[in-house]
Amino acid sequence: MVMSRRLAFLASIFICFMVTIASVQGSPSGQKWAGKNQHVMVIDGDTLKVDGEPIHLYGIDCPEIGQTCSQSGHEWPCGMSAMLHLDKILTLNRGQIDCSPWGGDGTAAKGSERSFVCSTNHEDLADDLLRGGYCLTIPGAFPGYLEAEREARQGHLGIWGGDFLAPSEWRQQNQRPEAKP
Amino acid sequence: MNIGPVLAIVGILLTALGVSMIVPATVDFIYHDIDWHVFIISAAVTVFVGVGLFFSFRPENPTSLTLRQTFILTSTSWVGLATFAALPFAFSRLPVSFTDAFFEAMSGLTTTGSTVLVGLDSAPVGILLWRAILQWVGGIGIVVMAVTVLPYLRIGGMQLFRTESSDRTEKVLPRISQITGGILAVYSILTGACAILLMLAGMSTFEAIVHSMTALSTGGFSTADASVGRFDSATIEGILIVFMLAGGVTFTLYLRALHGDPGILWRNSQVQWLIGLVAISTCAISVWLVFVKHMALSTAMRLALFHVVSIITTTGFTSADYGQWGSFPITALYFLTFVGACTGSTSGGLKVFRLQVLYELALAQVRRTLHPHGVFQPTYENRPITEAVGLSVMGFFFLYGLSFAVLSLSLSLCGLDLVTCISAAATAIANVGPGLGDVVGPSSTFATLPDLAKLVMAAGMLLGRLELVTLLILFHPRFWQG
């Protein structure tokens, strides 16, 4: 019992030390992407702006902001959900984002957005969005992306849990620019 | 069996729940949010049903509830409260189905903290406050239940605390109502203290109140999609670490400390084990983060301590995506999901005292093997662990494992992958909050799960919160005979 108390005492001292260190380490920085001095803004589920430059995630197409999907008879904002999910991933990973251009210089075949494969802490953002059922693949996507989409579809996750209009069709119906490579 | 008295009490609880909806309605009204009328309508419906139940089933000659009636009351009250607590979510302008609303309400009341809501940063303040109120009420509800009901139902070895209650605590506070009042006072004071410190650390008044309520209740609902990570403040994380741990300590210990025995907080072996587990886990994860993920030591310690405390107390706040930390931290945090903190606290999980009892039993078994003629009596807090307590704890572990397996299998029938199934089942039954993987991990929500999976998880949350047996016994045919 005495040994147990001594060990607990040492553990408590250790925790107090860590709380103190952790608490004085930093106050709110207010700079979201301090790690790499990048400014990242989420535009929608598959588009980012890094230091003002628009970046489209390669291989996926997500519902647009304002687009809704249906599940069990109720409409849910699948486009906004995809955008917020991407924003949450980036916030919790504190802007550790790495993007590599895909397809030559990364210029999209259509439109002006550049197409990139992006990851945060080695987590492929497009893969994550597909696994959660937030987005769908486009023709020619990586086999890994197709597998991620298949798993989400099998689990009836997100958009696969009900009915939805393909984002490309939704854009046509709502007269949005077709900018997905 | 006469369930009239049970329904009458459920009616009283529903009425109280309905009245509590006035608070978020008032806040919404002050903030000029049109959703205030949602709470008024929900309150009216809830109070109407509650008052109706009470007057319809009020016994003419009030008597104490029987053991079976107590079991039924415990289960029906939580299900009934969650159903009506879901009304504001379902009626609000949030795009959620009733299944989603029920999931959110059950997650709140059971202090789980898993959410299906996205866009919390711009959600109506009344809804955010309602989520916090549900967790705060659920937190005090489970503490009171653990002190007053569970020891007498002999759930999972809780009879140990029945003796403790009658032998020690009642000398200080002779009546259960006094103990309950004392616990409520301590709970409120700690919540207030946490809110003030969070405000001083930079949170707005509203954010501070919400986070203090969900920290003390070890619930983990936040006002932001990115949870505590939204604030990116080591000071805020430090404050929350202290109050999450405070919520994970047996609340009757605070009463005894206030009545002239402050050392009890330190001498209690559950607290010692909890602190020891936190220290060891934090140390190990920090070392991993430094050497494998190449983090600075201070950052590694800050992140490791916050998440170890958040998971072991079953709060579920996140400040970083620990799903990206690699194999060891993820595995360690997964096992910590099951541990829970002290009994008689707001936390869920297995509870430290059950691990202590099993450890003592295993130790005695090893000694008997080494010394076949020796007599070894396992003890807990210097009191012998009786055979009944030992069997009760072992039975609880078996049921916990079985329930976890059934929940995982049920989720797999929905077509979910292995990691999602076993982590969602674990986080539900242990009332933690976030799971693992891309679907239900710390950087995700439970919004994209199919409805059936949400209902399975809601059942798991209730099962874990009611310490399994309280709910499972209702499914035994003999319970309803005689």
Side-chain angles (χ1 to χ4, degrees):
Chain A
M1 184 59 79
V2 174
M3 182 64 81
S4 166
R5 277 187 206 165
R6 281 179 186 164
L7 287 174
F9 177 73
L10 288 174
S12 302
I13 297 291
F14 175 71
I15 290 174
C16 289
F17 171 71
M18 286 193 296
V19 170
T20 309
I21 291 285
S23 300
V24 301
Q25 185 209 348
S27 53
S29 62
Q31 192 174 356
K32 198 172 179 183
W33 311 111
K36 289 193 167 185
N37 291 322
Q38 290 172 312
H39 185 269
V40 181
M41 185 189 291
V42 177
I43 305 299
D44 61 24
D46 50 23
T47 315
L48 303 163
K49 261 190 180 177
V50 180
D51 294 332
E53 186 176 354
I55 283 180
H56 178 256
L57 297 179
Y58 167 76
I60 61 170
D61 197 2
C62 303
E64 302 295 331
I65 305 282
Q67 184 175 351
T68 59
C69 303
S70 71
Q71 188 178 38
S72 306
H74 89 278
E75 296 287 313
W76 62 287
C78 45
M80 181 63 79
S81 294
M83 189 270 271
L84 291 171
H85 179 66
L86 183 59
D87 187 60
K88 184 176 180 179
I89 296 172
L90 291 168
T91 304
L92 286 177
N93 284 283
R94 292 181 167 78
Q96 299 294 316
I97 186 167
D98 290 300
C99 292
S100 308
W102 180 255
D105 62 355
T107 307
K110 302 172 190 172
S112 58
E113 290 170 351
R114 302 177 72 197
S115 192
F116 286 77
V117 176
C118 294
S119 63
T120 176
N121 275 332
H122 308 295
E123 178 189 19
D124 188 318
L125 294 177
D127 186 79
D128 192 299
L129 285 156
L130 288 168
R131 285 188 189 282
Y134 292 99
C135 307
L136 56 161
T137 54
I138 58 166
F142 296 142
Y145 286 1
L146 295 173
E147 176 62 18
E149 183 188 61
R150 191 191 63 76
E151 282 188 16
R153 192 193 293 248
Q154 187 180 320
H156 306 288
L157 296 171
I159 58 177
W160 305 109
D163 297 321
F164 66 95
L165 204 58
S168 54
E169 284 183 44
W170 191 89
R171 284 192 292 273
Q172 279 180 351
Q173 288 184 9
N174 292 272
Q175 296 181 330
R176 299 284 177 92
E178 186 62 46
K180 307 294 176 180
Chain B
M1 190 188 309
N2 179 16
I3 61 166
V6 172
L7 293 175
I9 296 174
V10 171
I12 294 171
L13 294 172
L14 284 180
T15 307
L17 182 81
V19 171
S20 72
M21 290 177 188
I22 302 299
V23 178
T26 308
V27 171
D28 259 350
F29 186 76
I30 292 168
Y31 276 80
H32 304 294
D33 194 301
I34 56 166
D35 262 357
W36 66 269
H37 67 272
V38 164
F39 287 101
I40 296 297
I41 294 169
S42 304
V45 172
T46 309
V47 169
F48 176 76
V49 174
V51 170
L53 276 176
F54 176 72
F55 282 108
S56 303
F57 296 99
R58 181 181 50 169
E60 289 182 9
N61 300 310
T63 53
S64 298
L65 293 179
T66 64
L67 188 66
R68 291 181 188 201
Q69 284 173 326
T70 311
F71 274 114
I72 296 172
L73 171 66
T74 310
S75 302
T76 51
S77 57
W78 284 80
V79 174
L81 288 174
T83 305
F84 284 89
L87 294 181
F89 299 120
F91 293 161
S92 76
R93 63 176 188 270
L94 295 171
V96 293
S97 63
F98 191 79
T99 306
D100 287 336
F102 181 74
F103 179 98
E104 196 75 10
M106 184 62 87
S107 176
L109 271 175
T110 56
T111 74
T112 304
S114 303
T115 186
V116 291
L117 301 184
V118 289
L120 293 174
D121 306 68
S122 56
V125 285
I127 288 291
L128 295 175
L129 183 61
W130 181 236
R131 295 164 84 237
I133 288 172
L134 288 181
Q135 294 205 320
W136 199 79
V137 169
I140 188 69
I142 197 64
V143 172
V144 169
M145 202 174 95
V147 173
T148 58
V149 181
L150 295 184
Y152 295 91
L153 300 182
R154 296 185 173 86
I155 303 296
M158 288 289 281
Q159 55 267 47
L160 267 174
F161 300 94
R162 182 183 185 179
T163 313
E164 184 177 80
S165 170
S166 55
D167 284 352
R168 300 182 187 177
T169 314
E170 287 184 4
K171 287 179 184 171
V172 180
L173 297 166
R175 294 173 57 204
I176 284 208
S177 59
Q178 275 183 282
I179 297 175
T180 307
I183 288 171
L184 183 60
V186 169
Y187 192 57
S188 305
I189 290 167
L190 285 172
T191 307
C194 182
I196 290 168
L197 288 173
L198 289 174
M199 273 191 280
L200 292 174
M203 276 190 181
S204 71
T205 306
F206 180 74
E207 289 167 340
I209 289 171
V210 167
H211 284 88
S212 63
M213 291 170 87
T214 59
L216 256 300
S217 62
T218 64
F221 275 158
S222 177
T223 54
D225 283 336
S227 189
V228 179
R230 149 81 173 74
F231 302 97
D232 194 15
S233 164
T235 313
I236 285 172
E237 286 165 32
I239 293 165
L240 288 174
I241 286 168
V242 172
F243 285 95
M244 284 189 285
L245 280 172
V249 170
T250 310
F251 272 74
T252 49
L253 292 181
Y254 293 124
L255 297 184
R256 289 165 66 181
L258 286 172
H259 283 82
D261 187 12
I264 189 67
L265 281 169
W266 178 244
R267 291 195 309 273
N268 186 269
S269 66
Q270 275 201 92
V271 177
Q272 291 172 357
W273 271 57
L274 177 65
I275 289 171
L277 279 169
V278 168
I280 292 166
S281 308
T282 304
C283 217
I285 293 174
S286 297
V287 169
W288 171 278
L289 292 177
V290 168
F291 288 102
V292 178
K293 302 301 281 186
H294 309 295
M295 282 187 191
L297 179 63
S298 57
T299 305
M301 281 165 49
R302 167 186 163 184
L303 292 176
L305 179 61
F306 183 80
H307 288 92
V308 164
V309 171
S310 177
I311 298 297
I312 204 170
T313 59
T314 71
T315 307
F317 283 139
T318 52
S319 68
D321 187 0
Y322 58 80
Q324 307 305 318
W325 288 357
S327 55
F328 175 73
I330 292 175
T331 311
L333 289 171
Y334 179 69
F335 283 116
L336 288 178
T337 295
F338 292 100
V339 174
C342 305
T343 191
S345 71
T346 58
S347 71
L350 286 164
K351 304 288 186 321
V352 169
F353 97 91
R354 293 197 177 97
L355 295 177
Q356 290 177 277
V357 168
L358 271 197
Y359 173 77
E360 291 295 335
L361 291 175
L363 202 62
Q365 190 61 39
V366 169
R367 285 175 178 158
R368 279 188 207 114
T369 307
L370 286 172
H371 306 285
H373 301 295
V375 177
F376 303 100
Q377 173 64 55
T379 58
Y380 173 80
E381 295 266 292
N382 297 323
R383 279 179 290 145
I385 297 171
T386 62
E387 191 179 347
V389 169
L391 286 174
S392 187
V393 170
M394 285 190 281
F396 184 87
F397 267 81
F398 172 74
L399 280 178
Y400 208 88
L402 189 66
S403 303
F404 167 69
V406 170
L407 283 174
S408 302
L409 287 169
S410 303
L411 290 171
S412 73
L413 289 175
C414 301
L416 303 175
D417 64 279
L418 177 70
V419 173
T420 303
C421 288
I422 61 170
S423 69
T427 202
I429 199 169
N431 303 122
V432 172
L436 294 172
D438 294 323
V439 181
V440 295
S443 64
S444 306
T445 68
F446 292 77
T448 60
L449 291 184
D451 281 356
L452 183 59
K454 287 172 190 161
L455 291 175
V456 169
M457 282 197 67
M461 293 173 202
L462 184 66
L463 198 59
R465 186 77 288 183
L466 297 186
E467 308 259 315
L468 310 181
V469 183
T470 318
L471 187 62
L472 291 178
I473 200 169
L474 301 184
F475 295 97
H476 198 291
R478 289 189 68 179
F479 179 85
W480 300 98
Q481 293 169 2

